[in-house]
Amino acid sequence: MLPLKKLIVHTHHIATHFTNALFPVSAALITLYLITDKPSFETACYYSMIFGLMSIPVAYGSGFYDWRTRFQGRRTFIFDHKVVFGIIFLILASIVVIWRSYDGGIMYSVGLNKWLYVTLVYSLTGIATWLGYLGGKFI
Amino acid sequence: MSKEKIRELKKKIEALVIAIPRELEAYEFYLDLAEKSADDAPSKEMFMFLAKQELFHRDHLEKMMNDLQSQLEEELKKGK
């Protein structure tokens, strides 16, 4: 059995891979929906984002613990950026999931909202990539 | 104030912030191997030697980081 400290560090690595995988998958699924017009891709995108969002608290909580213990809470460019972009990521991911939950037909509309929704889904992939890149510097 | 120098110091400090926990992890790794080599005295001795080296590295890096942080604080004070 791993000591708690190590277990939490491993939890962070696992949970961040969930968010870093599920949001790019969501972007890929929404792209497939735009290409094929098959609703199942749009629905899959929504569920993928829900599971991605659910793993964020675990990823952030364990990441914060790791920063406080292994890195003794030191402030550097990487940590500052991880915090700022992490907060932006959480806000945007919450907005997208809540929006889609309240308006299930967002992708079937023809207005500007549809494209704003798509842009948000793509932007989450961009931020997840940046956060993953920063996290990769510790490995 | 030299912005270039401050940037350079911050980069070095960041590298050390990342490196120091790695030394501690390596120490724990070798210590674990030493414990698992209880029946093999030469191996145990080697792993203990390596574990101590990692602690020495960590102390050395900590000292370097403290020096760099002092330099950074001085540079920032100059700019005020």
Side-chain angles (χ1 to χ4, degrees):
Chain A
M1 182 72 184
L2 285 169
L4 182 67
K5 192 175 161 183
K6 276 194 177 176
L7 194 68
I8 293 174
V9 172
H10 284 296
T11 305
H12 179 63
H13 295 159
I14 294 163
T16 50
H17 278 85
F18 274 100
T19 52
N20 283 358
L22 288 167
F23 283 97
V25 165
S26 305
L29 288 166
I30 206 84
T31 306
L32 286 171
Y33 167 73
L34 290 169
I35 294 167
T36 64
D37 224 21
K38 286 188 176 170
S40 55
F41 284 126
E42 193 277 326
T43 309
C45 165
Y46 171 55
Y47 285 112
S48 175
M49 288 193 297
I50 289 175
F51 283 107
L53 185 64
M54 279 165 63
S55 64
I56 290 178
V58 182
Y60 286 16
S62 53
F64 180 76
Y65 177 85
D66 188 26
W67 171 65
R68 292 284 296 175
T69 54
R70 209 153 55 106
F71 299 99
Q72 292 159 2
R74 287 185 170 120
R75 295 271 309 271
T76 68
F77 170 86
I78 295 176
F79 293 119
D80 288 353
H81 273 232
K82 275 173 82 74
V83 169
V84 170
F85 283 92
I87 291 167
I88 294 169
F89 188 79
L90 177 62
I91 291 169
L92 291 183
S94 303
I95 288 172
V96 172
V97 170
I98 292 167
W99 189 1
R100 173 58 179 74
S101 300
Y102 277 97
D103 185 2
I106 182 71
M107 282 304 292
Y108 308 105
S109 64
V110 286
L112 196 69
N113 281 355
K114 173 185 171 180
W115 295 107
L116 179 62
Y117 177 81
V118 171
T119 306
L120 283 173
V121 174
Y122 284 139
S123 68
L124 285 168
T125 296
I127 301 169
T129 304
W130 176 236
L131 286 169
Y133 171 75
L134 291 175
K137 289 187 177 229
F138 296 110
I139 296 164
Chain B
M1 176 177 63
S2 162
K3 279 186 182 175
E4 189 60 39
K5 191 170 181 183
I6 287 172
R7 200 178 303 129
E8 202 60 38
L9 285 167
K10 282 183 175 177
K11 264 189 180 179
K12 286 177 183 172
I13 290 168
E14 185 146 67
L16 292 174
V17 165
I18 294 169
I20 289 167
R22 284 184 182 174
E23 299 295 342
L24 202 59
E25 281 161 24
Y27 163 74
E28 287 166 359
F29 174 71
Y30 288 127
L31 197 66
D32 184 47
L33 288 175
E35 283 167 10
K36 284 175 181 164
S37 311
D39 299 337
D40 182 356
S43 296
K44 186 178 179 180
E45 194 182 330
M46 179 185 74
F47 288 130
M48 284 307 292
F49 169 77
L50 290 169
K52 281 176 191 166
Q53 286 290 307
E54 300 304 337
L55 275 190
F56 170 74
H57 294 158
R58 189 206 53 179
D59 292 345
H60 185 62
L61 295 181
E62 289 266 16
K63 189 179 171 299
M64 280 170 70
M65 193 169 70
N66 290 338
D67 289 345
L68 288 170
Q69 266 172 341
S70 302
Q71 283 181 46
L72 179 64
E73 277 164 26
E74 269 178 39
E75 284 297 319
L76 291 170
K77 268 183 201 165
K78 278 184 205 169
K80 282 183 182 171

